[in-house]
Amino acid sequence: METDRDLLIKDFLSSYDYLTEDDKSRIKKAWDLLCEKCGDKKRSCGSPYYLHPLRLARILADIKLDTDTIISGILHTIRDFGVSPEETGKLFGEQVAKIIQGTNKIMYLPINSKTLRQADAIRKMIFAMTDDVRIILIKIADRLDRIRNIKSLEPERQKILA
């Protein structure tokens, strides 16, 4: 019997003709790892943890980014579940491991920008820290999905995110 998770990834994979069968197999492998590691974990809004990474992957696939970028989008928070960069590298290749590590460096920066000048300085710092534009594209897709789903957050969290 197919689960909701199976139906979600099946729908995702059938939506993008530009992906090869090998690409789809690798993406499914990343999805399976994410679902295995996150289990039944829920986000603070009550939705299943795995929905955000899949929506992020959709944003990346909609602009026809490569498979390594889509996999990195799905697994962008996999370290929170105890999966090391070395393990990610073995399973999906060094490029994916590097993209995820770069994304995590940006995600966990303590940013509390109050002015445009501070925001510009942070933007310059982020660009200087990344040697692969895919890292920035994943971060932008992450923010886009969070903004699209901002109503699911409590008002105080909405203000912080905005």
Side-chain angles (χ1 to χ4, degrees):
M1 187 167 112
E2 285 187 314
T3 66
D4 287 344
R5 293 174 187 194
D6 294 331
L7 294 172
L8 286 168
I9 194 63
K10 194 176 193 178
D11 178 60
F12 175 86
L13 295 173
S14 68
S15 299
Y16 301 101
D17 293 340
Y18 81 97
L19 296 171
T20 67
E21 288 306 312
D22 183 53
D23 294 336
K24 291 176 181 181
S25 175
R26 291 181 65 222
I27 291 167
K28 171 88 168 60
K29 183 178 171 184
W31 174 253
D32 291 343
L33 176 65
L34 173 71
C35 290
E36 173 194 329
K37 295 298 181 179
C38 74
D40 293 328
K41 184 174 180 179
K42 305 269 187 214
R43 297 207 175 260
S44 59
C45 64
S47 71
Y49 184 88
Y50 54 81
L51 289 180
H52 166 69
L54 187 63
R55 290 190 309 256
L56 194 156
R58 248 188 213 287
I59 292 167
L60 300 170
D62 283 345
I63 57 174
K64 294 186 172 24
L65 290 177
D66 66 298
T67 303
D68 283 350
T69 308
I70 294 168
I71 290 169
S72 299
I74 290 171
L75 299 177
H76 74 286
T77 57
I78 200 69
R79 84 172 197 178
D80 294 346
F81 297 101
V83 178
S84 70
E86 294 77 24
E87 186 177 352
T88 306
K90 283 182 197 165
L91 291 170
F92 301 101
E94 286 306 309
Q95 280 300 305
V96 170
K98 285 180 181 179
I99 294 168
I100 292 170
Q101 281 185 293
T103 304
N104 279 297
K105 267 199 274 184
I106 292 172
M107 289 176 97
Y108 297 104
L109 280 175
I111 297 174
N112 193 3
S113 177
K114 300 263 190 244
T115 70
L116 286 177
R117 194 163 148 175
Q118 286 173 318
D120 190 50
I122 291 165
R123 181 187 58 79
K124 287 177 184 174
M125 179 179 65
I126 288 171
F127 277 103
M129 287 176 60
T130 59
D131 57 354
D132 190 332
V133 72
R134 295 176 293 184
I135 294 167
I136 294 169
L137 294 173
I138 289 169
K139 188 59 187 163
I140 291 169
D142 176 61
R143 284 290 157 189
L144 176 59
D145 181 63
R146 290 180 189 277
I147 292 294
R148 284 179 176 170
N149 293 283
I150 200 166
K151 291 221 183 278
S152 66
L153 300 175
E154 306 214 355
E156 189 57 37
R157 297 267 310 144
Q158 289 178 11
K159 287 178 191 174
I160 291 169
L161 181 59

